């Protein structure tokens, strides 16, 4: 990892630190967080190779950094060809920015509000940023739009997301069930600053 490459990520963390310290309304936080994430994903030279490794047994979620006060975390999601998530929620605000490839996002209503059917589907091309939160829409399923190559997105959440108890939707039983995602790596890329 060259100093310049890690500088991009540290500059992003500086912006996020200042943003969560101000604790603005969620709409402003998402606006300013998205702007910072767009700058970060405009360059594809900083993500360490070990946090970009696809696996054949499912998508990977590598922890890049977790705020010591758990106000936010940053992860890389790596999707192999054909891989995708179940329908799930987050319970906190989140930003998804595509670094490599292309993703497909299927949006769902909150369980109980309406039948659990996809209400909107959109593509997320390289450089695009998507938002989630319980306030603006928190249920979706995300998949790799590419059949022949991995895709990678950088996610920012308003918690240490791998340790948050949230839900997946089971279409077979039409029930939600709790899940804690954890992380694919044993230790974050950046452990301390
Ligand atoms: Fe998600």
């Amino acid at each position: 990892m060259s100093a310049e490459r890690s500088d991009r990520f540290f500059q992003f963390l500086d912006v996020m630190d200042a943003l969560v310290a101000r604790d603005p309304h969620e709409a402003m936080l998402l606006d300013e967080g998205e702007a910072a994430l767009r700058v970060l994903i405009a360059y594809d030279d900083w993500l360490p190779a070990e946090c970009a490794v696809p696996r054949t047994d499912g998508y990977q979620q590598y922890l890049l950094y977790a705020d010591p006060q758990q106000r936010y975390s940053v992860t890389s999601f790596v999707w192999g060809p054909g891989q995708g998530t179940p329908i799930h929620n987050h319970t906190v605000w989140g930003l998804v920015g595509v670094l490599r490839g292309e993703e497909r996002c299927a949006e769902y209503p909150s369980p109980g509000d309406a039948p659990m059917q996809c209400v909107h589907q959109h593509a997320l091309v390289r450089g695009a940023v998507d938002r989630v939160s319980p306030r603006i829409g928190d249920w979706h399923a995300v998949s790799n739009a590419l059949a022949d190559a991995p895709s990678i997105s950088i996610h920012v959440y308003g918690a240490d997301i791998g340790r948050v108890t949230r839900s997946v939707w089971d279409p077979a039983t039409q029930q939600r069930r709790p899940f804690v995602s954890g992380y694919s790596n044993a230790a974050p890329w950046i452990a301390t600053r």
Side-chain angles (χ1 to χ4, degrees), residues 77 79 85-86 88-90 96 132 138-142 155 157 166:
F77 268 67
W79 323 85
T85 69
H88 65 275
N89 72 348
H90 312 82
V96 175
V132 293
D138 202 30
W139 287 81
H140 67 185
V142 182
H155 297 210
Y157 297 101
R166 45 202 176 115

Side-chain angles (χ1 to χ4, degrees), residues 7 10 13 37 53 57 59 63 66 68-69 75 81-83 116 118 131 135 138 142 145-146 152 172-173 187 189-190:
D7 276 356
F10 284 125
L13 297 183
L37 182 58
V53 182
D57 57 347
Y59 66 89
L63 178 61
Q69 299 177 53
T75 65
Q83 292 176 347
M116 226 29 194
C118 176
R131 302 173 171 200
R135 184 180 61 87
D138 202 30
V142 182
L146 305 182
I152 299 178
T173 61
W189 175 37
I190 304 296

Side-chain angles (χ1 to χ4, degrees), residues 18-104:
L19 185 53
V20 296
R22 273 170 42 215
D23 193 23
H25 289 302
E26 184 188 281
M28 182 171 287
L29 193 152
L30 289 171
D31 281 350
E32 295 189 25
E34 175 176 331
L37 182 58
R38 283 186 185 278
V39 172
L40 180 67
I41 64 173
Y43 301 92
D44 187 9
D45 60 358
W46 57 268
L47 184 68
E50 67 265 26
C51 296
V53 182
R55 289 177 55 110
T56 54
D57 57 347
Y59 66 89
Q60 302 297 300
Q61 179 177 1
Y62 299 99
L63 178 61
L64 303 182
Y65 178 74
D67 169 51
Q69 299 177 53
Q70 302 181 0
R71 295 170 298 181
Y72 74 96
S73 59
V74 189
T75 65
S76 61
F77 268 67
V78 182
W79 323 85
Q83 292 176 347
T85 69
I87 303 167
H88 65 275
N89 72 348
H90 312 82
T91 77
V92 294
W93 64 262
L95 293 162
V96 175
V98 179
L99 182 72
R100 286 176 208 166
E102 180 174 333
E103 296 177 7
R104 188 172 292 125

